[in-house]
Amino acid sequence: MRVIFMGTTPFSCVVLQQLLDDNYDVVAVVTQPDRPFGRKRELKASPIKELAIANNIDVLQPERIRSDFQAVLDYEPDLIITCAYGQIVPKVILDYPKYKCLNVHASLLPKYRGGAPIHWSIIRGEEETGVTLMLMDVGMDSGDMLTSRAVPIGANDTMGHVEAKLMEVSKDLIHIDLKRYLDGELKFIPQDTDRVTLAYTIQRDDEFVSFNRPVQDVYNHIRGLIPWPVGYGVFEGNTVKFHEVSVEYNTPNADPGTILEVSDGGVRIACIDGSVVIHKIQPAGKPAISAKDFANGIGRTWKGRTFE
């Protein structure tokens, strides 16, 4: 069986590595073109490209796969597996493989279709998420499902924690469930369109954290953006990023956004019915530092002042 894998991110690497560990014949990898990175804007390969090269697998990097698809078909794949590729795959590719084009999606479909399902599942206060093995179609994560595997979202989990859980359980989608599908043991199940929710790619406006909300919403928002892209507040016209956070549910006697305390333990900021404590903070134009380092610098003068 000739397999093509399509992906870009570190999450994708877990899926590709499992295919290799299970001895699938991965004849080519399709990933995003090298992109400028860092202050010097030097071209950087995707993690998937690096993994493919390390395993002597051919790499294709079309700028627009919708129009530049023939090289994929030339490999005559029997099966295509995708995970976090980053482009819409055209129907001419989806219809080609004998065993279809399957996608590993990081949510329990039909909830959280789109490019940022892990972020939004935390931001919206979900207690559970998962990964789904599904049929790719021309829509956005709208194809029929084969199976899914759930993981809990802990009360203190960040996006990074949940992603790590999903990466681990996605191995079973390949090692166990893909084999069951190829053996004819799994059948496609249509998604319940009445339960669809969307998880569009995080935009700059989504990174802004308003404290004039219930504390649980603020806490979920901040931890749902850690370690990337990291939420921020606006303090006297400057952005301040929040890299580590905890929550306190006692209602403060202060307006939302007021800095209640700056100590070695953290920067405590009032919300409507509680407060969040920032343990690692990044003032504008400076690197992220611990609360202790922040408090020992200019931080203590922030007490009593307010975020927008």
Side-chain angles (χ1 to χ4, degrees):
M1 181 180 299
R2 297 172 60 81
V3 179
I4 284 181
F5 181 80
M6 307 175 73
T8 299
T9 68
F11 197 129
S12 307
C13 290
V14 174
V15 177
L16 174 57
Q17 186 62 58
Q18 191 62 54
L19 288 167
L20 298 176
D21 290 347
D22 289 343
N23 297 315
Y24 285 92
D25 182 18
V26 181
V27 295
V29 157
V30 184
T31 189
Q32 294 278 48
D34 296 0
R35 302 296 189 195
F37 180 81
R39 291 184 178 180
K40 294 183 179 180
R41 309 304 290 164
E42 295 177 348
L43 290 179
K44 182 177 176 60
S46 72
I48 277 291
K49 180 179 179 179
E50 294 176 348
L51 180 58
I53 291 173
N55 286 275
N56 298 312
I57 301 171
D58 292 351
V59 177
L60 302 175
Q61 296 179 274
E63 190 69 46
R64 288 181 56 83
I65 197 169
R66 283 184 172 181
S67 55
D68 190 10
F69 56 80
Q70 187 57 49
V72 177
L73 303 183
D74 289 344
Y75 278 90
E76 300 181 348
D78 299 302
L79 170 69
I80 295 177
I81 301 291
T82 75
C83 178
Y85 169 48
Q87 292 192 44
I88 300 296
V89 180
K91 192 172 186 297
V92 65
I93 290 179
L94 300 180
D95 290 344
Y96 186 93
K98 175 181 178 181
Y99 293 101
K100 313 281 185 194
C101 188
L102 304 182
N103 180 45
V104 175
H105 182 71
S107 81
L108 296 175
L109 291 171
K111 297 184 76 172
Y112 299 107
R113 294 179 180 178
I118 307 174
H119 298 86
W120 287 110
S121 65
I122 300 170
I123 292 171
R124 293 174 182 164
E126 299 286 353
E127 296 180 352
E128 181 183 64
T129 186
V131 285
T132 301
L133 185 62
M134 57 171 294
L135 177 69
M136 287 195 71
D137 64 9
V138 294
M140 184 176 66
D141 303 318
S142 57
D144 294 349
M145 303 175 295
L146 282 171
T147 188
S148 61
R149 292 178 178 264
V151 301
I153 299 177
N156 299 318
D157 280 346
T158 66
M159 180 270 176
H161 295 138
V162 176
E163 182 180 47
K165 294 179 185 180
L166 295 177
M167 290 166 76
E168 188 62 30
V169 78
S170 69
K171 297 176 184 178
D172 289 339
L173 286 184
I174 301 301
H175 184 62
I176 299 173
D177 298 324
L178 177 59
K179 185 177 186 301
R180 292 177 63 206
Y181 161 69
L182 296 172
D183 289 342
E185 298 176 14
L186 292 178
K187 304 300 181 184
F188 289 108
I189 303 168
Q191 295 187 38
D192 182 352
T193 55
D194 291 336
R195 295 178 55 240
V196 170
T197 61
L198 300 181
Y200 58 86
T201 301
I202 298 291
Q203 306 296 316
R204 178 62 174 170
D205 288 347
D206 301 316
E207 298 168 23
F208 172 70
V209 177
S210 168
F211 296 95
N212 192 22
R213 293 180 292 164
V215 69
Q216 189 65 49
D217 292 347
V218 177
Y219 177 57
N220 291 344
H221 191 176
I222 294 173
R223 68 192 180 104
L225 298 175
I226 297 171
W228 180 88
V230 185
Y232 72 92
V234 177
F235 180 79
E236 298 181 350
N238 296 311
T239 61
V240 179
K241 294 187 176 182
F242 311 123
H243 289 265
E244 291 181 10
V245 65
S246 61
V247 62
E248 297 179 356
Y249 294 101
N250 51 318
T251 302
N253 186 22
D255 293 333
T258 301
I259 298 173
L260 303 171
E261 181 182 18
V262 180
S263 68
D264 291 358
V267 180
R268 190 155 62 96
I269 306 170
C271 304
I272 286 180
D273 54 354
S275 57
V276 291
V277 182
I278 309 301
H279 302 285
K280 189 174 182 181
I281 192 166
Q282 184 177 4
K286 298 183 178 181
I289 55 177
S290 69
K292 181 177 181 179
D293 289 342
F294 179 75
N296 287 337
I298 64 170
R300 297 187 194 277
T301 65
W302 287 29
K303 183 178 178 180
R305 295 152 76 182
T306 304
F307 280 89
E308 292 180 11

